[in-house]
Amino acid sequence: MLAYFSSLSPLALLNSCPGGVAQGLIWGIMALGVYLTFRVLDVADLTVDGSLATGGAVCIMLVLSGWNPQLALLISFFAGLAAGLITGLLHTALGIPDILAGILTQISLYSINLNIMGKANQSVNVNKVTFLFTSNSKLLLRTIVLVAVVCAVLIALIYWFLGTEFGSAIRATGTNPNMSRAQGINTNLMKVIGLALSNGVVALSGGILSQYQGFADVNMGRGAIVIGLAAVIIGEVLGEAILGKRLNMALRLLWVVIGGIIYYIVYVFVLWLKFPADDMKLLTAIVVAIFLAVPYLKGKYFTKSYAVKYMTRPMRKKKEGQ
Amino acid sequence: MLEINRVSKTFNPGTVNEKTALDGLTFHLNPGDFCTVIGGNGAGKSTMLNAIAGVWPVDEGNIIIDGKNVTQLPEHKRAAYLGRVFQDPMTGTAATMGIDENLALAARRGRLRTLKWGVTKKEQAQYKELLAGLDLGLEDRLTSKVGLLSGGQRQAITLLMATLKQPKLLLLDEHTAALDPKTAAKVLELTDRIVSEHKLTTLMITHNMRDAIAHGNRLVMMKDGKIILDISGEEKKKLTVEELLEKFSVASGDTLDNDRMILG
């Protein structure tokens, strides 16, 4: 035991923190995309696992063929947009259930990503190409600031968009599709656009991630949806706990990004504790399952009637209308 | 204003659950008609409203609203002509959005939704005034989430949304059925006020015979996907519940069976 603790170096943890923050911010961008589908449209979109890798593959391949890395990111965004469009059309035009539509696109993207790259992974010689979003330890602080700026711009854009007439129609579609159609909203179109934008944002984060790593891998998106959900849920739970009713849409989006950072810092910390890296996805899934289950179990067992029946102490009153 | 011509609709055709909900239904409404609809279980009342609203395509016949054949139009396009209030107070509003946001969604019914701001300051002031008219104290809760309101408050807001942009036709599908008697009376009173104020052509399903008689200028009774009784004008004004039941038996050769029907 003592040998285990003495083998842990606090300095190593401190050293890996800036990298953790940078990667957390990049996952935070993806979480913003996941938020658009999971929270706004009320769809768990599994396309994400594929479109993240597509974003990375497109970016790396374009850079390898001499493109400007920033322009390549823009193309990554559009590639994700196309992926989301396919999921949306499978769901709305062909009537395939949303989860299944996402799985179909995800699995087809695996082949498409292999075709884009020609093999399972492609890397860029970081000594030859200078990326803005580099993991070079000397420039790491600049990378963190840059990714944070991207996050801030995206939060502002999403906040603005959801506040417009069009964005309101997308939110209404996610909340109550029957009512939306009765108010003249083309709910199918809203779902397609929402899914496309979400995957565009996810692919953009995939592109940035590939620049940070210096390579793209066909498996880089595996489990991305779960990490995205973890970020969204952790961010919302903490945001609500700290801000309560003051948590408006803009702050909620900010907390989603913070959720991504927290996830990644915890990830780094658990790895530092010498937790086997192979088991990290299992751990992530368990964390997400717990966070998803808590609101349900709270509603089921901590209502007033249950409290009266099983508890001697009076429980907190259930909020009106919940 | 509304023409339903020989419309039929069969659910689950070819299965044991096959049900002919509308059977060659023909029904016309004149501009300004306020028509109440009653009928037994499965008579096709809600099916008729859903056929008008375009929730699903009909098998046969056509539906014309204000001279425009809407039979082939999808639900969201027909919405431009219609105002709808549903039985379930949860159905008519978006629970996670504010009162003002819900009203703003309705204000843009039948219009292209752009990238302009979803609710303007000017609109908020206008909505505040409209809400004050409801006399439910909602004018001070303009930005509250609709999910926090009571069923009656939500129905009142849905009614306001349905009529915010004057519809060619107002469809009320037992919109007071889920409310307590006092709230139901208040929502009905509000309905009467809004309908007469804007001279709206209205179709109102109700399970309350007394309400069906007391409201509107016309009353129809449905059975087996058809209209079997159509009473209007002076005859409607003088109608009593007993007469109505009597007329039903004569017209259908049956007694009225609706387990939720309130007779008096």
Side-chain angles (χ1 to χ4, degrees), chain A residues 126-137:
Chain A
V126 285
N127 296 323
K128 283 187 184 156
V129 182
T130 44
F131 285 131
L132 275 182
F133 305 100
T134 175
S135 57
N136 184 332
S137 55

Side-chain angles (χ1 to χ4, degrees), chain B residues 27-94:
Chain B
F27 176 62
H28 293 192
L29 269 183
N30 296 318
D33 267 356
F34 182 172
C35 181
T36 55
V37 184
I38 53 175
N41 294 326
K45 309 180 296 289
S46 290
T47 312
M48 173 168 76
L49 253 55
N50 287 338
I52 298 169
V55 176
W56 22 251
V58 297
D59 301 335
E60 271 174 70
N62 59 57
I63 296 163
I64 294 162
I65 302 172
D66 196 28
K68 165 121 177 119
N69 188 340
V70 298
T71 320
Q72 302 300 328
L73 285 187
E75 189 179 1
H76 69 267
K77 285 203 175 142
R78 288 192 209 187
Y81 307 100
L82 303 171
R84 290 161 71 191
V85 186
F86 310 88
Q87 183 177 338
D88 180 357
M90 305 298 150
T91 314
T93 44

Side-chain angles (χ1 to χ4, degrees), chain B residues 182-198:
Chain B
K182 207 175 145 199
T183 315
K186 196 157 187 184
V187 170
L188 262 181
E189 185 196 309
L190 182 68
T191 308
D192 264 343
R193 204 176 78 206
I194 291 177
V195 167
S196 64
E197 213 169 89
H198 302 286

Side-chain angles (χ1 to χ4, degrees), chain A residues 19 29 41 102 129 131 152-153 170 173 181 200 233 235 251 297 310 317:
Chain A
I29 295 175
L41 275 184
V129 182
F131 285 131
V153 169
I170 291 184
T173 300
R181 280 189 293 275
I233 295 164
L251 289 171
L297 295 177
Y310 297 99
K317 246 171 104 183

